[in-house]
Amino acid sequence: MTPLRLAYIVAHRVRLILRRLFQIRTQGVKAVVLRGREVLLIRHSYYATDRYMLPGGGVGRGETSVEAGIREVLEETGCRLESPRMHGEFLSHHEGFPDQITIVVGETRDDPRADPGELLEARFFPLDALPDALADASRRRIIEVRDGLPPSDRW
């Protein structure tokens, strides 16, 4: 294990403990990145390494959710998000604290390259052949976007 990966693991665990202990509400963003009939999925190096999920992260001060989505996709995968739009907003308590998550949808023409510290993998999957190891909430959001459905009430 590299020192950088170990630092990500420790930082993630410390953040989770503090957020749970003090019930710190966070504002995050996830992106459904499409390329034709494919969707971009990632696997983190420090958390749920066995599951694919949508790229994303925190919304910075003075940053809109769409801006954060564009930035996070670029930082994590090197892909430029084109024609971004909001799909919906969700409240999750999955991690043990309130997390406001905005889903941003956009397209790219780029090939992904995973950030070597944060990600194990970043690649495209066909929209009609999603991996079994896909996080449930990510699967629901992809299906909503793929099938033109409104956002669900459930994260």
Side-chain angles (χ1 to χ4, degrees), residues 50-117:
D50 61 332
R51 285 190 305 220
Y52 288 98
M53 54 191 68
L54 297 169
V59 177
R61 272 195 198 147
E63 189 176 45
T64 69
S65 295
V66 171
E67 290 167 342
I70 292 168
R71 176 184 49 76
E72 286 289 344
V73 169
L74 184 62
E75 287 176 0
E76 290 183 353
T77 70
C79 293
R80 292 177 307 264
L81 194 61
E82 300 171 3
S83 305
R85 61 193 181 282
M86 275 185 45
H87 170 67
E89 294 183 322
F90 302 85
L91 183 61
S92 170
H93 287 87
H94 178 74
E95 301 285 348
F97 57 89
D99 189 12
Q100 179 76 36
I101 304 166
T102 301
I103 299 295
V104 174
V105 179
E107 294 83 31
T108 192
R109 290 174 278 189
D110 301 326
D111 290 325
R113 42 180 177 71
D115 174 275

Short mmCIF file of all heavy atoms in Angstrom, two decimals, residues 50-117:
data_model
loop_
_atom_site.label_atom_id
_atom_site.label_comp_id
_atom_site.label_asym_id
_atom_site.label_seq_id
_atom_site.Cartn_x
_atom_site.Cartn_y
_atom_site.Cartn_z
N ASP A 50 -14.52 -2.49 -3.55
CA ASP A 50 -15.12 -3.57 -4.34
C ASP A 50 -16.35 -3.12 -5.12
O ASP A 50 -16.94 -3.92 -5.84
CB ASP A 50 -15.49 -4.74 -3.43
CG ASP A 50 -16.51 -4.36 -2.37
OD1 ASP A 50 -16.56 -3.18 -1.97
OD2 ASP A 50 -17.26 -5.25 -1.93
N ARG A 51 -16.76 -1.86 -4.98
CA ARG A 51 -17.97 -1.37 -5.64
C ARG A 51 -17.67 -0.23 -6.60
O ARG A 51 -16.84 0.62 -6.34
CB ARG A 51 -18.96 -0.84 -4.59
CG ARG A 51 -19.66 -1.91 -3.83
CD ARG A 51 -20.76 -1.31 -3.02
NE ARG A 51 -20.20 -0.25 -2.17
CZ ARG A 51 -20.55 -0.04 -0.93
NH1 ARG A 51 -21.46 -0.76 -0.37
NH2 ARG A 51 -19.99 0.93 -0.25
N TYR A 52 -18.43 -0.23 -7.69
CA TYR A 52 -18.40 0.88 -8.63
C TYR A 52 -19.42 1.91 -8.17
O TYR A 52 -20.45 1.57 -7.57
CB TYR A 52 -18.77 0.42 -10.04
CG TYR A 52 -17.69 -0.39 -10.70
CD1 TYR A 52 -17.75 -1.78 -10.70
CD2 TYR A 52 -16.61 0.22 -11.32
CE1 TYR A 52 -16.76 -2.54 -11.31
CE2 TYR A 52 -15.63 -0.52 -11.94
CZ TYR A 52 -15.70 -1.89 -11.92
OH TYR A 52 -14.73 -2.63 -12.51
N MET A 53 -19.13 3.17 -8.46
CA MET A 53 -20.06 4.24 -8.14
C MET A 53 -19.85 5.40 -9.10
O MET A 53 -18.93 5.37 -9.92
CB MET A 53 -19.94 4.67 -6.69
CG MET A 53 -18.58 5.05 -6.23
SD MET A 53 -18.45 5.24 -4.43
CE MET A 53 -18.67 3.58 -3.85
N LEU A 54 -20.70 6.39 -8.98
CA LEU A 54 -20.58 7.58 -9.81
C LEU A 54 -19.45 8.46 -9.28
O LEU A 54 -19.25 8.55 -8.07
CB LEU A 54 -21.89 8.37 -9.78
CG LEU A 54 -23.11 7.67 -10.36
CD1 LEU A 54 -24.38 8.44 -10.03
CD2 LEU A 54 -22.96 7.48 -11.86
N PRO A 55 -18.73 9.14 -10.16
CA PRO A 55 -17.71 10.08 -9.68
C PRO A 55 -18.38 11.26 -8.97
O PRO A 55 -19.53 11.60 -9.26
CB PRO A 55 -17.00 10.54 -10.96
CG PRO A 55 -17.92 10.21 -12.07
CD PRO A 55 -18.80 9.09 -11.62
N GLY A 56 -17.66 11.87 -8.05
CA GLY A 56 -18.21 13.01 -7.35
C GLY A 56 -17.40 13.36 -6.13
O GLY A 56 -16.32 12.81 -5.89
N GLY A 57 -17.94 14.26 -5.33
CA GLY A 57 -17.25 14.71 -4.12
C GLY A 57 -18.00 15.86 -3.49
O GLY A 57 -19.19 16.04 -3.71
N GLY A 58 -17.28 16.66 -2.73
CA GLY A 58 -17.88 17.76 -2.00
C GLY A 58 -18.03 19.01 -2.84
O GLY A 58 -17.27 19.26 -3.77
N VAL A 59 -19.02 19.81 -2.46
CA VAL A 59 -19.25 21.11 -3.09
C VAL A 59 -18.49 22.14 -2.25
O VAL A 59 -18.68 22.23 -1.04
CB VAL A 59 -20.75 21.47 -3.14
CG1 VAL A 59 -20.96 22.85 -3.72
CG2 VAL A 59 -21.51 20.42 -3.93
N GLY A 60 -17.59 22.88 -2.89
CA GLY A 60 -16.77 23.87 -2.19
C GLY A 60 -17.52 25.16 -1.92
O GLY A 60 -18.57 25.43 -2.51
N ARG A 61 -16.97 25.96 -1.02
CA ARG A 61 -17.56 27.27 -0.71
C ARG A 61 -17.61 28.13 -1.95
O ARG A 61 -16.63 28.22 -2.69
CB ARG A 61 -16.72 27.98 0.34
CG ARG A 61 -17.15 27.63 1.69
CD ARG A 61 -16.60 28.57 2.71
NE ARG A 61 -16.76 27.83 3.97
CZ ARG A 61 -15.98 27.89 4.98
NH1 ARG A 61 -14.95 28.70 4.95
NH2 ARG A 61 -16.21 27.18 6.05
N GLY A 62 -18.75 28.76 -2.18
CA GLY A 62 -18.91 29.65 -3.32
C GLY A 62 -19.03 28.93 -4.65
O GLY A 62 -19.00 29.55 -5.70
N GLU A 63 -19.19 27.61 -4.60
CA GLU A 63 -19.26 26.79 -5.80
C GLU A 63 -20.68 26.25 -5.94
O GLU A 63 -21.28 25.82 -4.96
CB GLU A 63 -18.26 25.64 -5.64
CG GLU A 63 -18.02 24.79 -6.84
CD GLU A 63 -16.94 23.74 -6.58
OE1 GLU A 63 -16.96 23.08 -5.51
OE2 GLU A 63 -16.09 23.58 -7.46
N THR A 64 -21.22 26.25 -7.14
CA THR A 64 -22.52 25.63 -7.35
C THR A 64 -22.33 24.12 -7.47
O THR A 64 -21.20 23.63 -7.70
CB THR A 64 -23.20 26.14 -8.64
OG1 THR A 64 -22.47 25.66 -9.77
CG2 THR A 64 -23.30 27.66 -8.66
N SER A 65 -23.41 23.38 -7.36
CA SER A 65 -23.34 21.93 -7.50
C SER A 65 -22.86 21.53 -8.89
O SER A 65 -22.08 20.58 -9.05
CB SER A 65 -24.70 21.29 -7.21
OG SER A 65 -25.05 21.51 -5.87
N VAL A 66 -23.32 22.25 -9.91
CA VAL A 66 -22.89 21.94 -11.28
C VAL A 66 -21.39 22.21 -11.43
O VAL A 66 -20.66 21.39 -11.99
CB VAL A 66 -23.71 22.73 -12.31
CG1 VAL A 66 -23.13 22.60 -13.70
CG2 VAL A 66 -25.17 22.26 -12.30
N GLU A 67 -20.91 23.33 -10.89
CA GLU A 67 -19.47 23.62 -10.94
C GLU A 67 -18.67 22.54 -10.22
O GLU A 67 -17.61 22.11 -10.70
CB GLU A 67 -19.18 24.99 -10.33
CG GLU A 67 -19.68 26.15 -11.16
CD GLU A 67 -19.67 27.47 -10.41
OE1 GLU A 67 -19.61 27.49 -9.16
OE2 GLU A 67 -19.73 28.52 -11.10
N ALA A 68 -19.17 22.09 -9.07
CA ALA A 68 -18.49 21.05 -8.31
C ALA A 68 -18.47 19.74 -9.10
O ALA A 68 -17.46 19.02 -9.10
CB ALA A 68 -19.16 20.84 -6.96
N GLY A 69 -19.57 19.42 -9.77
CA GLY A 69 -19.62 18.21 -10.58
C GLY A 69 -18.60 18.24 -11.70
O GLY A 69 -17.88 17.25 -11.94
N ILE A 70 -18.51 19.37 -12.37
CA ILE A 70 -17.52 19.53 -13.46
C ILE A 70 -16.11 19.35 -12.90
O ILE A 70 -15.29 18.62 -13.47
CB ILE A 70 -17.68 20.92 -14.11
CG1 ILE A 70 -19.00 21.02 -14.87
CG2 ILE A 70 -16.50 21.23 -15.03
CD1 ILE A 70 -19.37 22.43 -15.30
N ARG A 71 -15.82 20.00 -11.78
CA ARG A 71 -14.48 19.93 -11.17
C ARG A 71 -14.15 18.52 -10.70
O ARG A 71 -13.06 18.00 -10.98
CB ARG A 71 -14.40 20.91 -9.98
CG ARG A 71 -13.07 20.84 -9.24
CD ARG A 71 -13.05 21.76 -8.02
NE ARG A 71 -14.20 21.62 -7.15
CZ ARG A 71 -14.39 20.61 -6.29
NH1 ARG A 71 -13.51 19.63 -6.20
NH2 ARG A 71 -15.47 20.57 -5.52
N GLU A 72 -15.09 17.88 -10.00
CA GLU A 72 -14.82 16.55 -9.46
C GLU A 72 -14.58 15.52 -10.57
O GLU A 72 -13.68 14.69 -10.46
CB GLU A 72 -15.97 16.09 -8.56
CG GLU A 72 -16.00 16.78 -7.21
CD GLU A 72 -14.88 16.34 -6.28
OE1 GLU A 72 -14.23 15.30 -6.54
OE2 GLU A 72 -14.65 17.04 -5.28
N VAL A 73 -15.38 15.57 -11.62
CA VAL A 73 -15.18 14.63 -12.74
C VAL A 73 -13.81 14.84 -13.36
O VAL A 73 -13.09 13.87 -13.63
CB VAL A 73 -16.31 14.77 -13.78
CG1 VAL A 73 -15.98 14.00 -15.06
CG2 VAL A 73 -17.64 14.29 -13.21
N LEU A 74 -13.42 16.08 -13.55
CA LEU A 74 -12.11 16.38 -14.14
C LEU A 74 -10.98 15.92 -13.22
O LEU A 74 -10.03 15.28 -13.66
CB LEU A 74 -11.99 17.87 -14.44
CG LEU A 74 -10.71 18.31 -15.15
CD1 LEU A 74 -10.59 17.65 -16.53
CD2 LEU A 74 -10.68 19.83 -15.29
N GLU A 75 -11.10 16.22 -11.92
CA GLU A 75 -10.04 15.84 -10.97
C GLU A 75 -9.90 14.33 -10.86
O GLU A 75 -8.78 13.81 -10.84
CB GLU A 75 -10.34 16.41 -9.58
CG GLU A 75 -10.14 17.88 -9.45
CD GLU A 75 -10.55 18.43 -8.09
OE1 GLU A 75 -11.01 17.65 -7.21
OE2 GLU A 75 -10.40 19.64 -7.90
N GLU A 76 -11.01 13.62 -10.77
CA GLU A 76 -10.95 12.17 -10.55
C GLU A 76 -10.63 11.38 -11.80
O GLU A 76 -9.95 10.36 -11.73
CB GLU A 76 -12.28 11.67 -9.97
CG GLU A 76 -12.53 12.10 -8.57
CD GLU A 76 -13.81 11.54 -7.97
OE1 GLU A 76 -14.60 10.90 -8.70
OE2 GLU A 76 -14.00 11.74 -6.77
N THR A 77 -11.12 11.84 -12.96
CA THR A 77 -11.04 10.99 -14.16
C THR A 77 -10.38 11.66 -15.36
O THR A 77 -10.15 11.00 -16.37
CB THR A 77 -12.45 10.55 -14.60
OG1 THR A 77 -13.17 11.67 -15.12
CG2 THR A 77 -13.22 9.92 -13.46
N GLY A 78 -10.12 12.97 -15.28
CA GLY A 78 -9.55 13.68 -16.41
C GLY A 78 -10.55 13.97 -17.52
O GLY A 78 -10.18 14.51 -18.56
N CYS A 79 -11.81 13.62 -17.32
CA CYS A 79 -12.84 13.85 -18.35
C CYS A 79 -13.47 15.23 -18.17
O CYS A 79 -13.78 15.64 -17.06
CB CYS A 79 -13.94 12.79 -18.26
SG CYS A 79 -13.40 11.13 -18.70
N ARG A 80 -13.66 15.93 -19.28
CA ARG A 80 -14.33 17.23 -19.28
C ARG A 80 -15.83 16.99 -19.44
O ARG A 80 -16.26 16.35 -20.40
CB ARG A 80 -13.79 18.10 -20.39
CG ARG A 80 -12.34 18.53 -20.18
CD ARG A 80 -11.82 19.34 -21.36
NE ARG A 80 -12.03 18.65 -22.63
CZ ARG A 80 -11.11 17.90 -23.24
NH1 ARG A 80 -9.92 17.75 -22.71
NH2 ARG A 80 -11.37 17.31 -24.38
N LEU A 81 -16.61 17.53 -18.52
CA LEU A 81 -18.06 17.37 -18.53
C LEU A 81 -18.67 18.46 -19.40
O LEU A 81 -18.50 19.65 -19.13
CB LEU A 81 -18.60 17.43 -17.11
CG LEU A 81 -20.02 16.96 -16.89
CD1 LEU A 81 -20.17 15.49 -17.27
CD2 LEU A 81 -20.40 17.15 -15.43
N GLU A 82 -19.39 18.05 -20.44
CA GLU A 82 -20.03 18.99 -21.36
C GLU A 82 -21.54 19.00 -21.15
O GLU A 82 -22.12 17.98 -20.78
CB GLU A 82 -19.71 18.59 -22.80
CG GLU A 82 -18.22 18.58 -23.11
CD GLU A 82 -17.90 17.97 -24.47
OE1 GLU A 82 -18.84 17.60 -25.21
OE2 GLU A 82 -16.72 17.86 -24.78
N SER A 83 -22.15 20.13 -21.40
CA SER A 83 -23.61 20.30 -21.29
C SER A 83 -24.15 19.80 -19.95
O SER A 83 -25.14 19.06 -19.92
CB SER A 83 -24.32 19.59 -22.44
OG SER A 83 -23.83 20.01 -23.68
N PRO A 84 -23.54 20.20 -18.82
CA PRO A 84 -24.01 19.70 -17.53
C PRO A 84 -25.37 20.27 -17.16
O PRO A 84 -25.69 21.42 -17.47
CB PRO A 84 -22.93 20.16 -16.56
CG PRO A 84 -22.37 21.39 -17.19
CD PRO A 84 -22.45 21.15 -18.68
N ARG A 85 -26.16 19.44 -16.50
CA ARG A 85 -27.48 19.86 -16.01
C ARG A 85 -27.79 19.09 -14.73
O ARG A 85 -27.29 17.99 -14.52
CB ARG A 85 -28.55 19.62 -17.06
CG ARG A 85 -28.71 18.16 -17.44
CD ARG A 85 -29.53 17.96 -18.70
NE ARG A 85 -29.70 16.56 -19.05
CZ ARG A 85 -28.79 15.79 -19.64
NH1 ARG A 85 -27.60 16.28 -19.94
NH2 ARG A 85 -29.04 14.54 -19.93
N MET A 86 -28.62 19.68 -13.89
CA MET A 86 -29.02 19.01 -12.65
C MET A 86 -30.10 17.98 -12.94
O MET A 86 -31.02 18.24 -13.70
CB MET A 86 -29.54 20.03 -11.64
CG MET A 86 -28.45 20.68 -10.84
SD MET A 86 -29.10 21.78 -9.54
CE MET A 86 -30.39 20.84 -8.79
N HIS A 87 -29.98 16.83 -12.30
CA HIS A 87 -31.02 15.80 -12.39
C HIS A 87 -31.91 15.83 -11.17
O HIS A 87 -33.12 15.69 -11.28
CB HIS A 87 -30.38 14.42 -12.54
CG HIS A 87 -31.35 13.29 -12.42
ND1 HIS A 87 -32.34 13.07 -13.36
CD2 HIS A 87 -31.51 12.34 -11.46
CE1 HIS A 87 -33.06 12.02 -12.99
NE2 HIS A 87 -32.57 11.57 -11.85
N GLY A 88 -31.33 16.02 -9.99
CA GLY A 88 -32.13 16.03 -8.77
C GLY A 88 -31.27 16.21 -7.55
O GLY A 88 -30.05 16.15 -7.60
N GLU A 89 -31.96 16.44 -6.43
CA GLU A 89 -31.29 16.59 -5.13
C GLU A 89 -31.85 15.54 -4.19
O GLU A 89 -33.05 15.27 -4.18
CB GLU A 89 -31.51 17.99 -4.57
CG GLU A 89 -30.83 19.06 -5.40
CD GLU A 89 -30.99 20.44 -4.80
OE1 GLU A 89 -32.07 20.74 -4.27
OE2 GLU A 89 -30.01 21.21 -4.87
N PHE A 90 -30.96 14.98 -3.37
CA PHE A 90 -31.32 13.88 -2.49
C PHE A 90 -30.71 14.10 -1.11
O PHE A 90 -29.65 14.71 -1.00
CB PHE A 90 -30.79 12.55 -3.05
CG PHE A 90 -31.30 12.26 -4.43
CD1 PHE A 90 -30.66 12.77 -5.55
CD2 PHE A 90 -32.42 11.48 -4.61
CE1 PHE A 90 -31.13 12.51 -6.82
CE2 PHE A 90 -32.90 11.21 -5.88
CZ PHE A 90 -32.25 11.74 -6.98
N LEU A 91 -31.37 13.57 -0.08
CA LEU A 91 -30.81 13.59 1.27
C LEU A 91 -30.53 12.15 1.66
O LEU A 91 -31.42 11.30 1.63
CB LEU A 91 -31.79 14.24 2.26
CG LEU A 91 -31.26 14.37 3.68
CD1 LEU A 91 -30.01 15.25 3.72
CD2 LEU A 91 -32.33 14.94 4.59
N SER A 92 -29.28 11.89 1.97
CA SER A 92 -28.86 10.55 2.35
C SER A 92 -28.40 10.54 3.80
O SER A 92 -27.73 11.48 4.25
CB SER A 92 -27.70 10.09 1.45
OG SER A 92 -27.13 8.90 1.94
N HIS A 93 -28.73 9.48 4.51
CA HIS A 93 -28.20 9.23 5.86
C HIS A 93 -27.42 7.92 5.86
O HIS A 93 -27.15 7.35 6.90
CB HIS A 93 -29.34 9.17 6.88
CG HIS A 93 -29.93 10.50 7.19
ND1 HIS A 93 -30.94 11.05 6.44
CD2 HIS A 93 -29.62 11.42 8.13
CE1 HIS A 93 -31.26 12.23 6.93
NE2 HIS A 93 -30.47 12.49 7.94
N HIS A 94 -27.06 7.46 4.68
CA HIS A 94 -26.39 6.17 4.50
C HIS A 94 -25.09 6.05 5.30
O HIS A 94 -24.78 4.99 5.82
CB HIS A 94 -26.12 5.94 3.01
CG HIS A 94 -25.40 4.68 2.71
ND1 HIS A 94 -26.01 3.45 2.79
CD2 HIS A 94 -24.12 4.44 2.36
CE1 HIS A 94 -25.13 2.50 2.51
NE2 HIS A 94 -23.98 3.09 2.23
N GLU A 95 -24.35 7.13 5.41
CA GLU A 95 -23.06 7.12 6.12
C GLU A 95 -23.19 7.42 7.61
O GLU A 95 -22.20 7.47 8.31
CB GLU A 95 -22.10 8.13 5.48
CG GLU A 95 -21.81 7.88 4.03
CD GLU A 95 -20.86 6.72 3.80
OE1 GLU A 95 -20.25 6.24 4.77
OE2 GLU A 95 -20.74 6.29 2.65
N GLY A 96 -24.44 7.67 8.08
CA GLY A 96 -24.64 7.95 9.50
C GLY A 96 -24.69 9.43 9.84
O GLY A 96 -24.68 9.81 11.00
N PHE A 97 -24.76 10.29 8.85
CA PHE A 97 -24.90 11.73 9.02
C PHE A 97 -25.66 12.26 7.81
O PHE A 97 -25.72 11.60 6.77
CB PHE A 97 -23.53 12.42 9.14
CG PHE A 97 -22.61 12.18 7.98
CD1 PHE A 97 -22.62 13.02 6.88
CD2 PHE A 97 -21.75 11.09 7.97
CE1 PHE A 97 -21.80 12.78 5.79
CE2 PHE A 97 -20.91 10.85 6.89
CZ PHE A 97 -20.93 11.69 5.81
N PRO A 98 -26.28 13.45 7.91
CA PRO A 98 -27.04 13.97 6.77
C PRO A 98 -26.12 14.46 5.65
O PRO A 98 -25.21 15.24 5.89
CB PRO A 98 -27.85 15.13 7.37
CG PRO A 98 -27.12 15.51 8.62
CD PRO A 98 -26.38 14.30 9.10
N ASP A 99 -26.38 13.96 4.45
CA ASP A 99 -25.57 14.31 3.29
C ASP A 99 -26.52 14.73 2.16
O ASP A 99 -27.29 13.91 1.67
CB ASP A 99 -24.73 13.10 2.86
CG ASP A 99 -23.71 13.42 1.78
OD1 ASP A 99 -23.46 14.61 1.50
OD2 ASP A 99 -23.15 12.46 1.22
N GLN A 100 -26.47 16.01 1.80
CA GLN A 100 -27.27 16.54 0.69
C GLN A 100 -26.49 16.27 -0.60
O GLN A 100 -25.38 16.75 -0.75
CB GLN A 100 -27.48 18.04 0.85
CG GLN A 100 -28.27 18.69 -0.24
CD GLN A 100 -29.75 18.40 -0.13
OE1 GLN A 100 -30.27 18.31 0.96
NE2 GLN A 100 -30.41 18.24 -1.25
N ILE A 101 -27.05 15.48 -1.51
CA ILE A 101 -26.35 15.08 -2.72
C ILE A 101 -27.12 15.57 -3.95
O ILE A 101 -28.30 15.28 -4.09
CB ILE A 101 -26.18 13.56 -2.80
CG1 ILE A 101 -25.47 13.05 -1.56
CG2 ILE A 101 -25.43 13.15 -4.07
CD1 ILE A 101 -25.54 11.55 -1.38
N THR A 102 -26.44 16.29 -4.82
CA THR A 102 -27.01 16.74 -6.08
C THR A 102 -26.45 15.86 -7.19
O THR A 102 -25.25 15.61 -7.23
CB THR A 102 -26.67 18.21 -6.35
OG1 THR A 102 -27.18 19.01 -5.29
CG2 THR A 102 -27.25 18.68 -7.68
N ILE A 103 -27.33 15.41 -8.06
CA ILE A 103 -26.91 14.62 -9.22
C ILE A 103 -26.83 15.55 -10.43
O ILE A 103 -27.80 16.24 -10.75
CB ILE A 103 -27.88 13.46 -9.52
CG1 ILE A 103 -27.95 12.50 -8.34
CG2 ILE A 103 -27.49 12.73 -10.81
CD1 ILE A 103 -26.67 11.77 -8.04
N VAL A 104 -25.67 15.55 -11.05
CA VAL A 104 -25.42 16.34 -12.26
C VAL A 104 -25.24 15.35 -13.40
O VAL A 104 -24.59 14.32 -13.25
CB VAL A 104 -24.16 17.22 -12.09
CG1 VAL A 104 -23.80 17.92 -13.38
CG2 VAL A 104 -24.37 18.21 -10.97
N VAL A 105 -25.82 15.66 -14.55
CA VAL A 105 -25.70 14.82 -15.74
C VAL A 105 -25.00 15.61 -16.83
O VAL A 105 -25.27 16.80 -17.00
CB VAL A 105 -27.11 14.38 -16.24
CG1 VAL A 105 -27.00 13.52 -17.49
CG2 VAL A 105 -27.87 13.67 -15.15
N GLY A 106 -24.12 14.95 -17.55
CA GLY A 106 -23.45 15.59 -18.66
C GLY A 106 -22.80 14.56 -19.56
O GLY A 106 -22.86 13.36 -19.30
N GLU A 107 -22.21 15.05 -20.62
CA GLU A 107 -21.56 14.17 -21.60
C GLU A 107 -20.07 14.47 -21.63
O GLU A 107 -19.63 15.53 -21.20
CB GLU A 107 -22.14 14.39 -23.00
CG GLU A 107 -23.60 13.99 -23.14
CD GLU A 107 -24.58 15.07 -22.68
OE1 GLU A 107 -24.24 16.27 -22.80
OE2 GLU A 107 -25.64 14.73 -22.17
N THR A 108 -19.32 13.51 -22.17
CA THR A 108 -17.90 13.71 -22.42
C THR A 108 -17.51 12.94 -23.67
O THR A 108 -18.21 11.99 -24.05
CB THR A 108 -17.03 13.26 -21.23
OG1 THR A 108 -15.69 13.72 -21.42
CG2 THR A 108 -17.02 11.75 -21.07
N ARG A 109 -16.42 13.36 -24.26
CA ARG A 109 -15.84 12.61 -25.39
C ARG A 109 -14.49 12.04 -25.00
O ARG A 109 -13.83 11.38 -25.79
CB ARG A 109 -15.68 13.54 -26.60
CG ARG A 109 -17.01 13.94 -27.21
CD ARG A 109 -16.82 14.96 -28.28
NE ARG A 109 -16.72 16.26 -27.60
CZ ARG A 109 -16.70 17.42 -28.21
NH1 ARG A 109 -16.74 17.48 -29.51
NH2 ARG A 109 -16.63 18.54 -27.54
N ASP A 110 -14.08 12.31 -23.76
CA ASP A 110 -12.75 11.93 -23.30
C ASP A 110 -12.67 10.48 -22.83
O ASP A 110 -13.67 9.90 -22.41
CB ASP A 110 -12.33 12.84 -22.13
CG ASP A 110 -12.31 14.30 -22.52
OD1 ASP A 110 -11.98 14.60 -23.69
OD2 ASP A 110 -12.64 15.14 -21.66
N ASP A 111 -11.46 9.95 -22.88
CA ASP A 111 -11.16 8.65 -22.26
C ASP A 111 -10.74 8.92 -20.83
O ASP A 111 -9.91 9.80 -20.58
CB ASP A 111 -10.04 7.93 -23.01
CG ASP A 111 -10.47 7.46 -24.38
OD1 ASP A 111 -11.64 7.06 -24.54
OD2 ASP A 111 -9.63 7.49 -25.31
N PRO A 112 -11.27 8.17 -19.87
CA PRO A 112 -10.92 8.42 -18.47
C PRO A 112 -9.52 7.92 -18.12
O PRO A 112 -9.03 6.95 -18.69
CB PRO A 112 -11.99 7.63 -17.70
CG PRO A 112 -12.38 6.55 -18.63
CD PRO A 112 -12.26 7.11 -20.01
N ARG A 113 -8.90 8.64 -17.19
CA ARG A 113 -7.67 8.16 -16.57
C ARG A 113 -7.84 8.41 -15.07
O ARG A 113 -8.03 9.55 -14.63
CB ARG A 113 -6.44 8.84 -17.13
CG ARG A 113 -6.53 10.28 -17.36
CD ARG A 113 -5.26 10.90 -17.92
NE ARG A 113 -5.50 12.31 -18.16
CZ ARG A 113 -5.66 13.22 -17.21
NH1 ARG A 113 -5.56 12.89 -15.96
NH2 ARG A 113 -5.91 14.48 -17.51
N ALA A 114 -7.84 7.33 -14.33
CA ALA A 114 -8.12 7.38 -12.89
C ALA A 114 -7.04 8.15 -12.14
O ALA A 114 -5.85 7.93 -12.36
CB ALA A 114 -8.23 5.97 -12.34
N ASP A 115 -7.45 9.05 -11.25
CA ASP A 115 -6.53 9.71 -10.35
C ASP A 115 -5.82 8.63 -9.54
O ASP A 115 -6.48 7.85 -8.85
CB ASP A 115 -7.29 10.66 -9.42
CG ASP A 115 -6.40 11.28 -8.38
OD1 ASP A 115 -6.19 10.64 -7.32
OD2 ASP A 115 -5.89 12.38 -8.60
N PRO A 116 -4.48 8.55 -9.60
CA PRO A 116 -3.77 7.41 -9.00
C PRO A 116 -3.85 7.33 -7.47
O PRO A 116 -3.71 6.25 -6.91
CB PRO A 116 -2.33 7.60 -9.46
CG PRO A 116 -2.21 9.04 -9.82
CD PRO A 116 -3.57 9.48 -10.26
N GLY A 117 -4.09 8.44 -6.80
CA GLY A 117 -4.21 8.39 -5.35
C GLY A 117 -5.60 8.01 -4.89
O GLY A 117 -5.79 7.21 -3.99
#
